[in-house]
Amino acid sequence: MLDIRKIRSALLSVFYKDGLDEIAQYLSNNGVKIYSTGGTLSFIEGLGVEAQSVESLTGYPSILGGRVKTLHPKVFGGILARRDNPDDCAQLKQYEIPAVDLVIVDLYPFEDTLASGASNAEVIEKIDVGGISLIRAAAKNYGDVAVVASRAQYAELLAMLKENGCATTLANRKYLAAQAFNVSSHYDTAIFSYLNRSERIPSLKQSLHGAKELRYGENPHQKAAFYGSLSDMFEQLHGKEISYNNLLDIDAAVSLMGEFSEPTFAILKHNNACGAASRPTLLQAWAAALAGDPVSAFGGVLVCNRELDRETAEEVNKLFCEVVIAPAYSPESLAILKQKKNRIILAAKTFELPAMQSRTLLNGVAQQERDLAMEAEESMTFATDAKPTAEQVQDLIFANKLVKHSKSNAIVLAKDRQLIASGVGQTSRVDALRHAVEKAGSFGFSLQGAVMASDAFFPFPDCVEIAHKVGVTAVIQPGGSVNDRQSADYCNANGVAMVTTGVRHFKH
């Protein structure tokens, strides 16, 4: 195969015409024979560029409401014929099939139609058949044929053609073929995922465009990339590039903040909240969140669920932090926060996190539903004679939200809807509690009247005993241990209110 292939004929069949005019003009100016279909043909002819309809080439009209236009040997023969194969070339001549050197396709917008909320019938009609077939044929025969499978590549193609004098190199064609299969595989994955919503075929397929190379992974010696579109979730208003570790903390931050409706501020470090509080105003919430652990807050990720105002920004600006996330910022607050040139400032958009979570494990991938359970007052079961007060119920709900989003084993101590201290990521629950108690004391907090939340049941009554002795008066936990009665008996004997939820919140 020769490396250079002059473009003498091209087939253009696209849904979106934006950007096609310059390519059509360039091809025409270089004497390229253009074949086209339907609306694309009308668009090209409207430019004053000569083109031949595919119908006149095949001798068949477009049928079935446009479902069949290009599916014909006179089209696919010209694309798939190997130019260095004498038998292929002889058959082209025998059946009067013109060779096609360039195929440009832009598929029906299946994903856009699906995202618009269109009916099933409308979505199905946007499954491209002819276009995807043209892409696969041209990409398979990249030794001789160049293919463009998306309008996103129009400019790149034009630059290639101009550089090579309306020709392509083998390297060009192989690259374009790889891009074409990238487009077609993504397209098919989207269709499969749509149809499999109801069929539940046990097959995991995921296709994400737009890989962003990150500076490094968790550590400098690890390479990393992010696949996805952060711009759909956030607008970055200021700061350096987001790192791998930043992404982990941002994910944890937005997941946690999604639990709260009242004005709330949280500070996260290594995916766990080290400070959190709900208050009538954002400024009050910030002050209470920071007070929970002003040491760990250094270099943390900050998240809130109200527009960040000037007064709050002035206080936030006193702390070195990696990331600030808010739904909006007043002009004054943004100017204040931008004083630190590397501080990442994100404006959160309205979004939904994926319903399924995936993680690579061993030689495969494990997938689970996102933990969307969150227990309200009506789902609590009183496990003791003493019942929590209305204020304690609010604190228990607050603490349970935090412990749900903390690494297991986890214990959260809270009071007046403020995180007093937590013990997270411990190998035993009692160690998690002891760590939380020690931490609360180191920052001068009294645990008298505090509540305790546990992400899983207490295997023994030691946790409620330790908690009671430092002042905890109400406890929330899933329950389910064979020793639940022992924990309840201790609480009954010491006037501690305990509720169970029946829902465990392990997080690993």
Side-chain angles (χ1 to χ4, degrees), residues 378-394:
E378 53 269 21
S379 61
M380 296 177 183
T381 298
F382 299 120
T384 54
D385 297 333
K387 305 297 189 292
T389 66
E391 186 61 32
Q392 285 176 326
V393 167
Q394 294 306 308

Side-chain angles (χ1 to χ4, degrees), residues 109-322:
F110 176 83
E111 288 181 283
D112 290 346
T113 304
L114 179 60
S116 73
S119 67
N120 178 66
E122 292 171 311
V123 171
I124 294 302
E125 278 307 306
K126 286 300 184 288
I127 296 178
D128 205 312
V129 176
I132 208 81
S133 302
L134 291 170
I135 289 171
R136 291 182 63 85
K140 176 177 180 176
N141 202 26
Y142 72 83
D144 297 298
V145 180
V147 58
V148 165
S150 167
R151 66 186 186 279
Q153 289 185 277
Y154 289 172
E156 191 173 20
L157 171 68
L158 190 58
M160 284 181 185
L161 295 178
K162 288 181 176 179
E163 180 181 352
N164 296 306
C166 202
T168 59
T169 67
L170 179 60
N172 291 154
R173 296 191 298 278
K174 186 176 181 181
Y175 165 77
L176 291 172
Q179 290 280 20
F181 282 118
N182 181 36
V183 170
S184 66
S185 62
H186 178 84
Y187 196 80
D188 285 343
T189 296
I191 296 168
F192 169 77
S193 298
Y194 171 67
L195 295 176
N196 202 40
R197 288 178 180 180
S198 56
E199 303 307 317
R200 300 294 185 183
I201 296 169
S203 178
L204 174 61
K205 299 183 188 300
Q206 190 172 33
S207 178
L208 298 170
H209 285 322
K212 178 177 175 56
E213 186 174 342
L214 304 174
R215 296 197 306 275
Y216 51 81
E218 285 185 283
N219 302 292
H221 63 277
Q222 295 171 269
K223 293 182 179 180
F226 176 75
Y227 296 86
S229 180
L230 280 180
S231 60
D232 291 343
M233 297 181 65
F234 307 102
E235 180 183 1
Q236 183 168 351
L237 304 176
H238 183 71
K240 62 184 179 181
E241 288 193 5
I242 296 173
S243 71
Y244 182 92
N245 289 331
N246 290 153
L247 287 170
L248 295 178
D249 282 326
I250 291 168
D251 178 72
V254 298
S255 295
L256 171 62
M257 196 51 57
E259 304 283 2
F260 297 93
S261 57
E262 63 273 34
T264 301
F265 226 117
I267 306 167
L268 284 88
K269 201 76 171 287
H270 298 292
N271 313 153
N272 295 295
C274 59
S278 296
R279 291 290 184 270
T281 71
L282 203 59
L283 180 59
Q284 293 169 332
W286 163 252
L290 180 62
D293 187 349
V295 175
S296 296
F298 183 84
V301 169
L302 282 49
V303 61
C304 63
N305 58 1
R306 294 292 190 277
E307 178 178 310
L308 201 61
D309 56 83
R310 178 183 60 79
E311 292 80 7
T312 306
E314 287 174 344
E315 294 303 313
V316 167
N317 198 46
K318 296 175 183 178
L319 175 76
F320 169 72
C321 59
E322 286 275 329

